[in-house]
Amino acid sequence: DKPGRREFRVQIPEIRDEHSATNNVTAVAVNVTDAALRILICDSRARWEYQYLVNLFRRQKQIEFDQLQFFPDPTGTGRREATAELPRTADEWAEYRVVILGDIGPEQLNVEGQAALREYIVDRGGSLIAISGQDAMPQSFTPGPLLDLLPVEQNSGFREDKAGYRVEMTAEARTMDAMRLTDDVVSTETVWREMSDVLPVYWLSEYNRPKPASEILLSAISNRSGAVATPMAYLCWHRTGAGRVAFLSSPSTYQLRMRNG
């Protein structure tokens, strides 16, 4: 009758001549959530990406979201209004189906908070989207539990390219309805290509090397003439425990979709 975690012990009786009864009992956990999709969106300040997402969520009747930003002054809405702080325990994180973290640092999300976030994702099946930033995310969390959760690692050989980057769909993205901007794959790829031509991505986090088990949905490829076309992860994700974590290596989806809705 209310949101929260429920744990059950399920057992079946032994039958005659059963070889082993050790697997006749197991633990089952269920997370009870609200019917609406509840999201926490947090950033250090109201970056363009943050504002774009907030306005997007406001137009979705099936989404409920709390906002949290820290500069110039810590302010929050909904469940975060009273404290203007990030959740501190796994139970508090579990109040949300999806958590979106922008360019925040360890000052806002300390080691204890990161450990609770990890429990929320790995043990309770939560979902995290981390959006990179030039100030803190994720480079200021080295080392720490948050970096372990991400589907990317530092690309030690990465050098920022002033010519910018184009964004291309991967083979996996072509099979996903969520990645389509039109009714068919061919037209969608054309839209992504045209957007990159008009508005290239000019900043990319050095954390753009996908971990072995990660799946890349969008690749970033240098526009520099003669550059080796080695794709880097623009958008990738992976499963970790019972949950999922996605990483966006550039806070620029607001500009990529500006002309296409």
Side-chain angles (χ1 to χ4, degrees), residues 5-10 26-30:
R5 183 177 176 83
R6 307 289 185 270
E7 295 185 353
F8 302 93
R9 184 173 182 269
V10 182
T26 188
V28 177
V30 177

Side-chain angles (χ1 to χ4, degrees), residues 149-166:
L149 290 170
L150 297 182
V152 293
E153 57 191 6
Q154 186 178 22
N155 185 348
S156 57
F158 175 72
R159 297 293 182 271
E160 191 171 337
D161 198 327
K162 293 183 179 180
Y165 307 88
R166 66 183 184 273

Side-chain angles (χ1 to χ4, degrees), residues 76-95:
T77 65
R79 302 184 186 193
R80 308 265 65 85
E81 183 176 7
T83 63
E85 293 179 348
L86 284 165
R88 296 183 178 183
T89 67
D91 286 339
E92 289 181 328
W93 287 112
E95 294 174 352

